Amino acid sequence: MSHPIDPGRLRPRRRWYAAAAVIAVLFTAVGVGGFVVGIVSATRSIPPFEYRNDGPQAEATVQLSAGTRYAAWELEGSTDSCSFDQGITTHGTKTSFTVTRDGRDWQRVTDFSVATDGAYQISCGPPFAIGEAPELGQLAGGLTGGILALTALPCLGVTIGGIIALVTGLRRSSHKRRLLGGA
C-alpha cells in the first residue's frame, strides 16, 4: 500500500500556480490600460472647434494664425462647398472624416492655412465650424495601438501563465512519481 506524499515536499512549489495567474491577470490589466491610453490619445488628436457658426448666415470673419493648419467643417449631408478670402490657401482633403460634437455629426470639407495672422472671410453653407485640422496619423496610431494592446497583451499573459502552470504541473507530477518510486 502506498502512502500519500506531503504536497509541501513536491517541487516546484504550488506558488508557481499563483505566479502564473498573477502574470495572466497583470498582462490583461496592462492590455486594458494600453487600450484606454490609445483611445485617449486618439481622442486628443481631434482638436476642438475654434469658431462655430450655427446661425443662418453663411459668411463669417474668423481670426486665423499663420503656421496653423485649419479645417472647415459642415454638418454631415451639407453641400460641402466653402469659399475663402484672398490669402487663404486650401489644401483639400484626401479622405472624408466625421466627428460628433454636441450630438451632431460634422464632416471635414477642406483643410487650409494662411500666410499671415489676421481676420479672414469664410463662407460655407450654414452651419459650419472652423478648427485646427485633426492629426489623422495620431488618431490612427492611438486606435491601432490601443486595439493591439487590448488583444496582444492578454493573449501573451495567458500564454505565459499557461506555460508556467503546465510546466509546474508536469514537474510536480514527475517529482511525485520519483518520491513514490523511491519510498
Side-chain angles (χ1 to χ4, degrees), residues 45-142:
S45 69
I46 305 169
F49 296 148
E50 294 176 21
Y51 175 82
R52 188 164 150 178
N53 178 3
D54 284 321
Q57 66 275 18
E59 195 170 287
T61 302
V62 181
Q63 189 70 29
L64 302 174
S65 301
T68 302
R69 190 175 179 115
Y70 294 97
W73 302 83
E74 288 185 343
L75 282 179
E76 194 170 41
S78 295
T79 60
D80 294 344
S81 62
C82 290
S83 60
F84 298 95
D85 210 357
Q86 295 272 336
I88 295 179
T89 305
T90 59
H91 304 289
T93 57
K94 295 178 183 121
T95 60
S96 70
F97 185 72
T98 304
V99 297
T100 301
R101 297 273 162 82
D102 301 325
R104 300 165 86 183
D105 292 332
W106 295 85
Q107 184 172 349
R108 183 174 69 169
V109 178
T110 188
D111 289 355
F112 62 93
S113 61
V114 295
T116 58
D117 294 355
Y120 294 88
Q121 284 292 114
I122 298 174
S123 177
C124 293
F128 71 95
I130 304 296
E132 286 187 36
E135 294 292 330
L136 296 182
Q138 183 181 353
L139 175 74

Side-chain angles (χ1 to χ4, degrees), residues 2-18:
S2 90
H3 51 23
I5 301 287
D6 176 21
R9 290 182 56 201
L10 294 177
R11 299 289 184 265
R13 301 246 185 232
R14 283 189 222 168
R15 66 180 130 210
W16 282 100
Y17 292 124

